[in-house]
Amino acid sequence: MKILLLGSGELGKEFVIAAQRIGQTVIAVDSYKNAPAMQVAHGFEVINMLDGTELDRIVAKHKPDFIVPEIEAIRTERFYDYEKQGIIVVPSAKAANFTMNRKAIRDLASKELGLKTAAYRYATTALELQKGVEAVGMPCVVKPLMSSSGKGQSTIKTTDDIEKAWQYAVEGSRGDVVEVIVEAFVKFNSEITLLTVSQNNNPTLFCAPIGHRQERGDYQESWQPARISDQDLYEAQDMAEKVTEALGGAGLFGVEFFLANDGVYFSELSPRPHDTGMVTLAGTQNFNEFELHLRAILSLPICSITLEKAGASAVVLASQNSINPTFTGLEKIAALPKTDFRIFGKPSSRPYRRMAVALTNDTLETPIEEITERAIQAAALLKVHS
């Protein structure tokens, strides 16, 4: 089978590796040369994926069996035409189109499916944002409708923050949609990602919940399993199954939730492997999230997902702009027990760009806080240099 991968970051790279291991051909696409997934794919294309004509051109050129989106900045409305041509869009054209835009997925979850979410409003101008803030109250969170890894996300605590939040959201937005969502701040106790696997003609499966901590809207550490009550887990699984069934198709979804005193709140959904799910590279499961995504796409039956170990991941961030960054500390981190790491191979760096990840694991009886702290300490040994 031939797979056209739209977006070639670190998540795409691990997906390509998983695909190659079971004999699939992957063409990696992104807006810049030498992106991580391009380094391991069978071929690559460099285009602006918001240019529908260019997208049509490479689809016609490569004639893929599957189109697998990895990022948001894609002319996703073209996906419906590709499905009509007999190409399988992952998880489906509807799922990819809805989830690449926070407005579509939030309205589906809240208005159509009745899932519990934070109060929210949309805004296309700073004035509309001000009215939205008045409606949901402060503090509140502002996000671009199209973005990833926390880009453009900020918290409004006073009216003085509104204009700055608007400008930051517009600057951090991907694509050509100049619109934001403002959400009431949920007083949550913790956040989880529930990796949810939709299969063709087989039951929906769930990975053990993953906890994570964020800064600037981007994850810093994740750990599996996360502590969660049986009732909260049941609620989260029920919501995840409802929303993934409504979107249709097969593949792995990263479904995010807030856990609060008054129950579980649906937050966001990604129709692909999730950054917090990189913890599964630590050997926590019988299949990592990239292998699960691939097997579901190919309709290879997944009998069960089993939790094998407890694990954690911690990111390694760049601190400055550079071309062809280098790393030190490999010998130190390699010497640590029950520890591994991945350097993504990004050709350039900028402040706060995620460049690598440290991975730790231990027995399921080991306190997850201890394993996570080891991941943080391991990540601190890897240094990014210009």
Side-chain angles (χ1 to χ4, degrees):
M1 295 290 185
K2 181 182 285 189
I3 298 169
L4 192 65
L5 178 67
L6 301 182
S8 299
E10 60 266 31
L11 302 180
K13 184 174 187 176
E14 294 295 337
F15 176 80
V16 173
I17 292 169
Q20 291 216 5
R21 283 176 173 157
I22 60 172
Q24 309 305 303
T25 300
V26 184
I27 308 299
V29 184
D30 216 311
S31 59
Y32 64 99
K33 292 182 179 179
N34 203 30
M38 293 179 184
Q39 299 164 20
V40 292
H42 294 85
F44 68 90
E45 296 280 356
V46 179
I47 68 165
N48 173 11
M49 287 174 283
L50 286 170
D51 184 332
T53 302
E54 277 293 275
L55 205 56
D56 290 345
R57 180 182 65 80
I58 63 165
V59 169
K61 174 182 176 181
H62 292 286
K63 297 179 174 59
D65 301 289
F66 298 89
I67 293 175
V68 179
E70 192 231 21
I71 63 172
E72 289 79 10
I74 305 170
R75 191 60 64 194
T76 54
E77 61 269 22
R78 285 290 210 277
F79 290 170
Y80 295 103
D81 289 334
Y82 303 152
E83 278 191 341
K84 291 176 182 176
Q85 295 171 29
I87 301 169
I88 298 173
V89 178
V90 175
S92 66
K94 179 182 178 181
N97 196 45
F98 271 51
T99 54
M100 293 303 177
N101 185 309
R102 287 187 170 98
K103 188 172 189 175
I105 189 61
R106 177 57 62 90
D107 286 348
L108 172 68
S110 178
K111 296 179 179 179
E112 294 188 34
L113 300 177
L115 306 188
K116 185 192 291 185
T117 70
Y120 64 96
R121 296 290 188 277
Y122 302 116
T124 57
T125 65
L127 180 59
E128 286 184 4
L129 176 58
Q130 181 178 339
K131 292 179 180 178
V133 172
E134 292 172 357
V136 304
M138 291 184 285
C140 55
V141 179
V142 178
K143 307 172 187 177
L145 288 189
M146 290 182 64
S147 71
S148 64
S149 301
K151 294 178 179 67
Q153 178 174 323
S154 62
T155 300
I156 292 176
K157 297 179 180 178
T158 71
T159 53
D160 293 338
D161 297 330
I162 295 175
E163 181 62 35
K164 291 183 290 185
W166 169 255
Q167 293 298 332
Y168 185 62
V170 171
E171 291 168 4
S173 178
R174 287 191 177 188
D176 50 11
V177 177
V178 183
E179 190 170 3
V180 304
I181 182 172
V182 53
E183 302 175 319
F185 190 81
V186 176
K187 293 181 180 179
F188 60 88
N189 301 314
S190 60
E191 299 176 83
I192 65 162
T193 304
L194 190 61
L195 299 179
T196 302
V197 182
S198 293
Q199 303 184 84
N200 290 318
N201 305 315
N202 282 297
T204 297
L205 300 176
F206 303 98
C207 299
I210 295 169
H212 57 268
R213 185 183 70 86
Q214 296 190 46
E215 287 182 11
R216 300 171 300 276
D218 199 5
Y219 112 95
Q220 304 299 299
E221 302 97 39
S222 64
W223 53 90
Q224 187 186 34
R227 288 195 181 91
I228 182 173
S229 70
D230 290 343
Q231 178 60 34
D232 283 353
L233 181 58
Y234 173 80
E235 284 188 32
Q237 289 178 342
D238 182 60
M239 289 189 198
E241 186 162 13
K242 284 178 178 175
V243 71
T244 54
E245 281 186 357
L247 291 169
L252 180 141
F253 294 79
V255 192
E256 296 181 60
F257 297 96
F258 296 122
L259 307 183
N261 289 339
D262 60 341
V264 180
Y265 286 77
F266 173 85
S267 175
E268 293 189 345
L269 180 146
S270 300
R272 58 186 183 276
H274 200 270
D275 51 6
T276 63
M278 283 193 283
V279 67
T280 62
L281 294 171
T284 56
Q285 303 181 159
N286 55 331
F287 298 112
N288 67 45
E289 66 169 342
F290 308 99
E291 294 165 336
L292 289 170
H293 194 44
L294 178 68
R295 287 167 183 254
I297 289 167
L298 298 177
S299 296
L300 297 175
I302 304 166
C303 295
S304 63
I305 303 171
T306 57
L307 186 66
E308 304 292 326
K309 299 176 183 178
S313 74
V315 301
V316 177
L317 304 178
S319 60
Q320 55 189 331
N321 294 303
S322 70
I323 302 297
N324 298 322
T326 59
F327 294 80
T328 58
L330 275 67
E331 298 85 356
K332 293 178 180 179
I333 192 171
L336 297 175
K338 301 179 181 179
T339 301
D340 201 355
F341 61 97
R342 300 284 191 279
I343 292 174
F344 303 143
K346 294 180 178 179
S348 63
S349 70
R350 57 178 178 269
Y352 301 117
R353 191 178 196 191
R354 192 164 59 218
M355 304 298 292
V357 66
L359 304 161
T360 54
N361 67 48
D362 218 312
T363 65
L364 291 170
E365 294 72 31
T366 306
I368 199 66
E369 295 85 358
E370 177 184 317
I371 300 172
T372 305
E373 182 58 33
R374 282 173 33 212
I376 294 170
Q377 293 175 0
L381 297 175
L382 271 180
K383 306 294 184 183
V384 186
H385 303 274
S386 58

